[in-house]
Amino acid sequence: EGHYLLMQEFLFRQSGNAASINIWIEIAKYLELFRDTPRLWRLNSSVMKQLLETLTEGMQGPCVSAQKCLLEANLHEFCGRILCLGAEDYCKSNGKAEFHWVVDGDGTPTMLDDESMHVIKFDRDLVVSSKLLDLLLVKKAAVHCLMAMLEGCSDRT
């Protein structure tokens, strides 16, 4: 994908500056706010998804310093919590308006209006709510983040 290791390392540590800020840890700390306030991240699933995608990009290549740093920050535990979150709990507590989507055989989602919900017959198509789709997209980002954390690992520790 063309990851630029020098930039990834620079975001980890800015040598030569009076103060060095580890951007990867700062993003992980921001994610901790979501972990400690489940209602907050349910209302802002797109923000959480973007944060996970940013951390994923920071680790890919692989950037070993970012991988080790985020492993020590227990990012893997946070991703595990996301993967264990049940759809029922998420959809009940999420206050956003709900839309319905039909996902056809090739994975293409199409938003439905209330009238088409009653008219269309769904054979093999999957109908999901927008809340559930949000949750699934965050879970997908968490899986990608976990895979980036393992990318290029050759030791057993």
Side-chain angles (χ1 to χ4, degrees):
E1 283 186 24
H3 296 282
Y4 187 52
L5 184 60
L6 291 176
M7 180 55 79
Q8 289 170 308
E9 291 286 343
F10 179 76
L11 293 173
F12 176 69
R13 182 179 310 113
Q14 300 85 39
S15 57
N17 286 357
S20 184
I21 298 171
N22 184 337
I23 299 299
W24 308 125
I25 285 294
E26 295 303 318
I27 293 172
K29 285 179 185 175
Y30 191 67
L31 273 174
E32 287 294 313
L33 294 174
F34 286 96
R35 186 200 72 194
D36 295 337
T37 314
R39 182 162 160 43
L40 177 67
W41 77 263
R42 288 183 185 110
L43 296 173
N44 295 290
S45 58
S46 62
V47 173
M48 180 159 11
K49 179 178 160 286
Q50 183 60 59
L51 291 172
L52 288 167
E53 289 172 349
T54 301
L55 291 175
T56 298
E57 288 297 319
M59 291 184 284
Q60 285 180 332
C63 180
V64 176
S65 57
Q67 287 174 319
K68 287 183 179 180
C69 167
L70 292 170
L71 185 64
E72 289 171 5
N74 296 320
L75 180 62
H76 58 290
E77 290 179 11
F78 181 76
C79 290
R81 275 195 211 102
I82 292 170
L83 295 175
C84 291
L85 181 65
E88 302 82 27
D89 295 334
Y90 178 83
C91 291
K92 266 193 303 191
S93 62
N94 189 332
K96 294 189 327 186
E98 186 163 20
F99 303 100
H100 288 86
W101 297 77
V102 61
V103 181
D104 60 21
D106 69 351
T108 307
T110 305
M111 191 165 76
L112 302 173
D113 56 21
D114 289 335
E115 292 174 17
S116 61
M117 280 296 292
H118 302 291
V119 175
I120 297 176
K121 292 199 186 285
F122 303 104
D123 293 330
R124 293 183 312 226
D125 295 339
L126 174 65
V127 177
V128 294
S129 71
S130 58
K131 293 177 187 178
L132 181 58
L133 191 59
D134 288 346
L135 175 62
L136 294 174
L137 291 172
V138 171
K139 285 187 176 200
K140 177 183 173 185
V143 168
H144 286 171
C145 195
L146 287 170
M147 290 187 324
M149 203 174 290
L150 297 173
E151 181 179 347
C153 289
S154 58
D155 63 356
R156 296 181 185 261
T157 58

